[in-house]
Amino acid sequence: MTGRRSIVHISLGLLFIALLALVAACSGDEGSSTEEPVSSPAVTASEVEEPAASDAAASDAPAEPTPMMPDFNTSGNTGGTLGDNAPEFAGIDQWLNSEPLTMEGLRGDVVLIDFWTYTCINCIRTMPYLRDWNEKYADLGLTMIGVHTPEFDFEKITENVSAANEELGVVWPVAQDNDFRTWRSYNNRFWPAKYLIDANGIVRYTHFGEGAYDETEHHIRALLEEAGNDVSDIEGGSGPEPTHDERARGTSRENNDSQTREIYGGWQRNASNSGLYIAHPQYYDGQGVAQFYRDPGDHLNQFMYLHGLWRSDLEAITHARETEDYEDYIALRFFARTVNIVLDLEEGVEPFEVEVTIAESLPPDAERGTELAYRPLTEDEAGEHIVIEGGRSYFVVDEPDLYNVISLPEFGDAELKFSSNSPHFALFALTFGSYNEVY
């Protein structure tokens, strides 16, 4: 992914001011998204319009299954549109869990292509359903293939993808599409995206983002039966689909209390039409610039605020010095139930700690300049990667990955600080969720 870096910083500053004035228009996502991605409370996909970043728009409401049409007319085109001939895999760097495959060699099988990347929270949340379908139907004519198309450079590294496969239980073939060649051949724009292909190699069904699991399985079963496979002994369905807290959609544009959008730290996403995630005009002076920032307080939802010395790298905002007392930090106000952070750990760098503290957001009538009372997380607030001990709440960055840091009992409005003494602390993205279920 390459950002649109030709925008001069004066124009970015003007756009930044305008966006602050219209901050309520920025909505949160139930995961990630882009132009290479961004989102809204109803958004459950990461969208890509190469090479920039924007909010995806995919419905999270499950659709009613519709019958397959046996007389489906094909277009004769090659691509990812319904009726197209499914494209061949192109530009694959590495095959994992399998020898190299071809669409021609898979004729006779029903094929489910899943475009994903391993730090995408939307993709991660679809994995239980993918595992279920693979277990049910792999011996009945279904071949699932994950096309791993990376959002960040560290996701191009085969060892990282292989480790993620093991952690997520991905046992089906995975093709590393590091240069987006297969992605482009399908004209794809989303993480995750599913393309269901019949035994004749024709694209028969697509779904973008999370959700519609029963609908997708319905179409898998219909195409398997169409190809002559008996699935009558296999029970379909995976139970009720996850639901969102209605408060995630907010009460009004003026209140700007909708779920926080996905937030990016790097220059390439901030310096784009969908960017401006960092609430400091000085950030937009240019890429690779290390500057001292002062947190202005009075945080707005949908932005992050910096304090201390930070550098605007291409894909991340990076702590630009080693400290001793966690004096430099990233702060934000969020509306969500869960918060995840994407971080890298470069080869040869020792694992390091990131402290996470939380504060209740100030009421609207609070006196300007009132300081927030930050404290360590409690067990009820802590995400799965948080350690609570010695009066601290923190997590250890020991691999390039997505870390779950906040998991509130219910949807809430709060303030967060992330702080590390390490000069290797580089924040790539923050994602937010508002499912009612633990998911």
Side-chain angles (χ1 to χ4, degrees):
M1 317 178 297
T2 58
R4 297 172 184 166
R5 290 175 278 166
S6 60
I7 306 173
V8 297
H9 72 267
I10 294 175
S11 298
L12 281 171
L14 293 174
L15 183 58
F16 175 81
I17 293 169
L19 188 58
L20 282 176
L22 296 173
V23 65
C26 299
S27 55
D29 81 334
E30 201 23 90
S32 71
S33 74
T34 108
E35 290 171 28
E36 294 202 292
V38 195
S39 340
S40 79
V43 171
T44 53
S46 297
E47 178 182 7
V48 173
E49 270 180 36
E50 294 175 287
S54 88
D55 281 308
S59 173
D60 55 20
E64 289 297 319
T66 54
M68 280 290 181
M69 301 299 293
D71 59 346
F72 193 90
N73 294 316
T74 62
S75 66
N77 298 326
T78 296
T81 302
L82 293 180
D84 284 353
N85 294 301
E88 275 293 354
F89 303 105
I92 301 303
D93 295 80
Q94 182 73 38
W95 282 90
L96 303 174
N97 301 336
S98 172
E99 294 298 317
L101 301 173
T102 66
M103 288 305 305
E104 181 65 32
L106 291 169
R107 291 289 186 270
D109 287 359
V110 174
V111 180
L112 179 64
I113 302 291
D114 175 52
F115 284 96
W116 71 297
T117 189
Y118 83 82
T119 67
C120 165
I121 187 62
N122 311 87
C123 303
I124 292 170
R125 286 194 290 244
T126 67
M127 288 300 167
Y129 301 93
L130 292 169
R131 291 193 296 268
D132 181 55
W133 299 335
N134 188 64
E135 290 171 4
K136 287 179 179 177
Y137 305 116
D139 293 333
L140 295 172
L142 176 67
T143 297
M144 287 177 26
I145 299 173
V147 178
H148 186 276
T149 313
E151 186 172 359
F152 302 112
D153 277 350
F154 65 80
E155 292 177 300
K156 296 178 179 180
I157 300 171
T158 298
E159 291 76 12
N160 293 347
V161 181
S162 181
N165 286 342
E166 184 173 353
E167 182 178 346
L168 296 170
V170 177
V171 296
W172 49 91
V174 172
Q176 280 191 263
D177 183 31
N178 285 350
D179 294 325
F180 283 69
R181 286 183 57 189
T182 297
W183 172 290
R184 292 189 186 100
S185 69
Y186 277 82
N187 297 310
N188 189 47
R189 295 176 59 208
F190 298 94
W191 290 287
K194 295 173 181 61
Y195 295 81
L196 188 59
I197 298 156
D198 70 17
N200 296 313
I202 306 300
V203 178
R204 298 286 295 274
Y205 171 79
T206 60
H207 180 74
F208 307 111
E210 299 175 50
Y213 301 113
D214 284 348
E215 174 183 298
T216 302
E217 185 173 2
H218 167 86
H219 288 292
I220 291 171
R221 293 171 66 89
L223 283 185
L224 288 172
E225 290 177 340
E226 186 179 287
N229 299 288
D230 183 5
V231 298
S232 60
D233 290 339
I234 305 296
E235 183 177 356
S238 304
E241 299 205 5
T243 59
H244 294 95
D245 192 305
E246 285 301 315
R247 289 171 291 181
R249 305 182 190 280
T251 58
S252 69
R253 289 169 62 93
E254 291 74 19
N255 289 339
N256 189 32
D257 56 358
S258 63
Q259 180 186 293
T260 306
R261 61 178 175 163
E262 184 166 11
I263 294 176
Y264 291 93
W267 171 260
Q268 73 175 5
R269 292 292 178 75
N270 277 273
S272 74
N273 292 339
S274 302
L276 304 181
Y277 303 100
I278 294 179
H280 298 267
Q282 72 189 85
Y283 172 91
Y284 302 94
D285 288 346
Q287 181 201 337
V289 179
Q291 302 185 74
F292 191 88
Y293 294 83
R294 293 191 183 279
D295 180 0
D298 299 322
H299 301 153
L300 296 172
N301 185 23
Q302 315 293 4
F303 299 96
M304 72 170 71
Y305 297 79
L306 309 176
H307 190 83
L309 192 66
W310 297 87
R311 186 179 62 250
S312 55
D313 289 334
L314 184 63
E315 291 192 329
I317 184 71
T318 303
H319 190 211
R321 63 178 176 177
E322 187 171 359
T323 52
E324 295 183 356
D325 298 316
Y326 297 94
E327 57 263 40
D328 297 349
Y329 61 81
I330 297 171
L332 69 147
R333 183 180 184 182
F334 73 92
F335 286 74
R337 183 180 182 189
T338 60
V339 182
N340 308 285
I341 185 171
V342 177
L343 303 173
D344 187 14
L345 185 70
E346 296 179 355
E347 186 175 356
V349 173
E350 291 295 318
F352 59 89
E353 296 178 359
V354 178
E355 280 200 344
V356 184
T357 53
I358 195 168
E360 301 298 326
S361 292
L362 294 174
D365 57 354
E367 183 179 345
R368 184 171 179 81
T370 301
E371 289 192 13
L372 294 165
Y374 285 91
R375 57 169 175 76
L377 301 172
T378 65
E379 294 286 353
D380 288 341
E381 299 164 332
E384 65 174 300
H385 292 107
I386 290 291
V387 176
I388 299 176
E389 64 180 14
R392 301 171 61 217
S393 54
Y394 65 93
F395 64 99
V396 178
V397 180
D398 55 7
E399 61 182 336
D401 209 345
L402 177 143
Y403 294 83
N404 174 231
V405 293
I406 297 293
S407 184
L408 302 178
E410 62 179 7
F411 182 89
D413 165 19
E415 305 255 357
L416 278 184
K417 277 186 183 178
F418 297 97
S419 181
S420 178
N421 287 326
S422 172
H424 302 289
F425 175 38
L427 187 154
F428 286 73
L430 291 161
T431 60
F432 304 83
S434 300
Y435 282 115
N436 290 312
E437 299 80 7
V438 176
Y439 181 61

